[in-house]
Structures are given as C-alpha cells and as structure tokens.
Amino acid sequence: MPARSPASSHPRTAARPLAPPPSPLKAEARDELLWSQLQALIAVARLGSFTKAAQRLGLSKAAVSQRVADLERHLDQQLMQRTTRSVRLNEAGLRLVEQAEPGLALLSRSLSEARDAAGAPRGLLRVTAPVALGRQHVAPALPAFFERYPALRIELDLSDRLVPLAQEGFDLAIRHTSAPPETHVAFKLCPSRALLTASPSYLARAGRPEHPAELAQHHCLPYLRPGPAQWFFERGADEQARERLRVPVQGPLRAGNSEVLREAALSGMGIALLPDFSARDAVRDGRLVELLPEWRAVGFFGDAVYAIHPWSSHTPQGVRLLVEHLKGVMGAGY
C-alpha cells in the first residue's frame, strides 16, 4: 500500500488563501463614516443634548443618536451615559473628544479655506443677534446682501440670551456691548448710546425732569434685570472731576425688550431708557423727546455694536463678507 504524502494525511492543515485587502473605496467610506460619527459625538458633548446637536448638524435627532451608537459599536465601548434628562460623557468619551476635536477643527478650517479659494462664496452662516437690534437693523440689511452673494445662506437666531458661540455652533454674533470678549475676534460695526426718552403727552402731564435725581419721582420703565431697578448717570469730560449719580427708579412696567419699552413710552406710560437703535426714529419725528442730554447713561447698554466670531487663524469668507456688509449699512451709527 503506497505511503500517503504529508499533505494528504493532514488535509485540515492545508494553507488557506489570504483574504484580499479591503479596497481603497471601502476604506474611504469607512473613514468617512468615522468622521461623521466623531462629529456627532463632539456636537453632543459640546451642546449637552442630542436635540441641539441635531439642529447644529442639520440632522434628525435619531440620526445623531445612531451615529454615536455606531461609533460605540465600532470602538466596542460605551462613550456616554444617557438618561431621559441629560447626556454625559464618560472617561473614554471625554478622552476621545479631547483628542479628536482639534483634528476635526483643522479639517473644517482647511475645507473652509479651500472653498474660499474656489471662487464665489457659498455655504451656510449661523448668526445670532439681540431681538430688537436683529429685527430693526440686521434683518433689513440682508436682502441687499443676498443680492450680492446669492449662494450664501443665513440662519438668523434672534435672542437676548448671550449664547456661547462655539458651543452652540454660531459663526457670528451681533452684540451690543462695551467690552467684547477677548477670546473672540470682534469687529466694531458702529457706535451706540443710551437715550432717556418720554412722550410729549407724558411730559405735559408729569413735567419734564431737569436733573437725574428727579427721576425717582417719575413713572419710569426700566429694563428687566435681576435686582432693584436703578439707572446710572455721569456728566463731565474730565475723568477725575466727572459727576456720577445712581438713581433708583420705579414704574408700572419692566420688560426685557427695548421695543416693548419704546412702545410703552410712546403710549405715555412713563420715561424709558432706550438704546439709540430702538429710539432713533421716534426721537427724530418727535414722537419721543430726549431728556437730560447733558448727562450720559452708563453701565446699562453697550457703547458700540460689534460683530463677534470665535477665534480662528482664518476668518471664513462668508463671515468676512457679512461683516463688511453690516459695516457699510450700520457704520454711521444711529
């Protein structure tokens, strides 16, 4: 009986053909999925909410949740603790976000610079502005902007809440302030000041104050802020000799919106301290009268309007064009 060859006597140990390496296209697709999953995880981590992350990324809440879940399956570990009320990253999730976020930011900046170099500006700008300023001056400036740059789109969020720009995904904020944050890039759009105003009908009925101290005896319409209502005034050019005064005020209405206070003043309800961009037209046509012009109201509204965006070594083309346009429209002030 002929001897069996070693190969035939141990058929199960025969060498298997090597599996073909993954195709470049499949590897690219897998990498693309991982980038999108990391982007979703970082958005949830920074915004603290699947809902807010979905709004920021332009996806459904279910899609964001699915991307994070797919990333956890890919890494074979949990990255966050989920409850019905909150989302919190665990140690592994925090470490991954810390390591991956700079790379994603660099990629986003590189893509932005490449788009800018390609020619006509395009893309989405997310902008936040105070309600009154946004309604009265930012929104009316946009039609002319879109005529010049039809491929750009804007999402304009009007809120008097000072939202954190990078955390909530805004490209630009319009702020009425005296001290823009040093951690951001700030472009001054125009000067601004506060005006003490009342209607002719109120002054005919209650008299015209000749000194800020007299405001304590008038019906005043303070802006709604925590603590007692009080207005601060100063007079004089010399810093050392400048006269300063604090006046407690009260009246039938406090509100957190300058348009509401302006309408109350126009109705004769009392004296209102308003930013010039809200009071401008009513003062010019005589429906409101400026009071105590030799005194400067301080510490309440900002002394300028700024466009602010998160710090970056590269200002996106769309942001730069919008800032230049708003400067042109608003630069002369009110």
Side-chain angles (χ1 to χ4, degrees):
M1 185 174 177
R4 300 172 100 180
S5 68
S8 60
S9 62
H10 300 285
R12 293 185 181 179
T13 64
R16 296 180 182 177
L18 295 175
S23 71
L25 289 178
K26 286 184 178 180
E28 288 180 8
R30 184 176 64 248
D31 290 345
E32 182 179 344
L33 285 174
L34 285 174
W35 279 113
S36 67
Q37 292 162 6
L38 283 169
Q39 185 184 41
L41 176 69
I42 291 170
V44 173
R46 295 306 176 218
L47 300 176
S49 160
F50 279 96
T51 300
K52 290 182 179 179
Q55 293 171 347
R56 172 69 183 99
L57 298 174
L59 300 169
S60 68
K61 180 180 176 181
V64 173
S65 179
Q66 185 63 52
R67 289 186 182 187
V68 173
D70 289 344
L71 180 60
E72 290 178 320
R73 276 193 293 272
H74 176 80
L75 299 175
D76 196 24
Q77 63 178 317
Q78 191 173 351
L79 299 173
M80 59 176 58
Q81 303 292 335
R82 303 166 175 84
T83 70
T84 56
R85 294 185 177 181
S86 66
V87 176
R88 185 172 60 86
L89 267 67
N90 59 22
E91 184 177 350
L94 290 170
R95 185 168 58 251
L96 179 59
V97 167
E98 181 181 354
Q99 294 173 348
E101 190 171 22
L104 276 175
L106 177 60
L107 176 62
S108 177
R109 185 165 64 250
S110 300
L111 292 173
S112 176
E113 292 178 7
R115 280 195 298 267
D116 291 352
R122 64 181 63 252
L124 173 66
L125 299 177
R126 299 191 70 238
V127 182
T128 179
V131 176
L133 182 61
R135 280 170 41 90
Q136 296 175 51
H137 301 289
V138 177
L142 296 183
F145 179 76
F146 291 131
E147 286 183 11
R148 295 179 64 185
Y149 309 108
L152 282 173
R153 296 174 294 125
I154 291 176
E155 289 182 359
L156 179 60
D157 177 82
L158 298 183
S159 172
D160 291 326
R161 181 175 62 94
L162 296 181
V163 299
L165 270 63
Q167 182 177 340
E168 300 207 7
F170 287 104
D171 302 295
L172 193 69
I174 310 302
R175 295 272 172 84
H176 187 212
T177 182
S178 299
E182 296 181 356
T183 54
H184 291 60
V185 180
F187 303 93
K188 186 175 179 178
L189 299 180
C190 64
S192 180
R193 63 191 182 98
L195 302 180
L196 191 68
T197 64
S199 69
S201 64
Y202 175 83
L203 297 176
R205 183 175 73 251
R208 181 170 184 152
E210 301 296 334
H211 189 274
E214 297 176 23
L215 294 172
Q217 310 305 318
H218 279 265
H219 286 175
C220 294
L221 307 169
Y223 205 86
L224 183 59
R225 289 186 178 175
Q230 49 189 351
W231 290 339
F232 296 86
F233 298 90
E234 63 181 27
R235 178 171 63 176
D238 186 350
E239 174 68 26
Q240 300 301 321
R242 189 171 297 166
E243 186 178 358
R244 292 179 173 88
L245 192 65
R246 177 182 64 85
V247 183
V249 294
Q250 58 182 347
L253 175 67
R254 297 179 73 179
N257 178 271
S258 64
E259 291 177 308
V260 172
L261 296 176
R262 181 193 62 204
E263 296 307 308
L266 285 168
S267 73
M269 195 178 294
I271 297 174
L273 185 62
L274 302 171
D276 51 2
F277 58 77
S278 271
R280 174 188 67 175
D281 292 339
V283 170
R284 286 178 181 172
D285 63 23
R287 290 179 296 139
L288 287 177
V289 177
E290 183 180 359
L291 306 175
L292 306 175
E294 69 276 16
W295 289 86
R296 177 172 171 259
V298 296
F300 209 82
F301 298 111
D303 59 15
V305 176
Y306 290 88
I308 300 170
H309 79 87
W311 187 91
S312 170
S313 58
H314 169 72
T315 301
Q317 184 184 32
V319 169
R320 177 173 51 80
L321 293 173
L322 180 58
V323 169
E324 291 174 356
H325 177 73
L326 292 176
K327 276 185 178 180
V329 174
M330 302 165 62
Y334 309 105

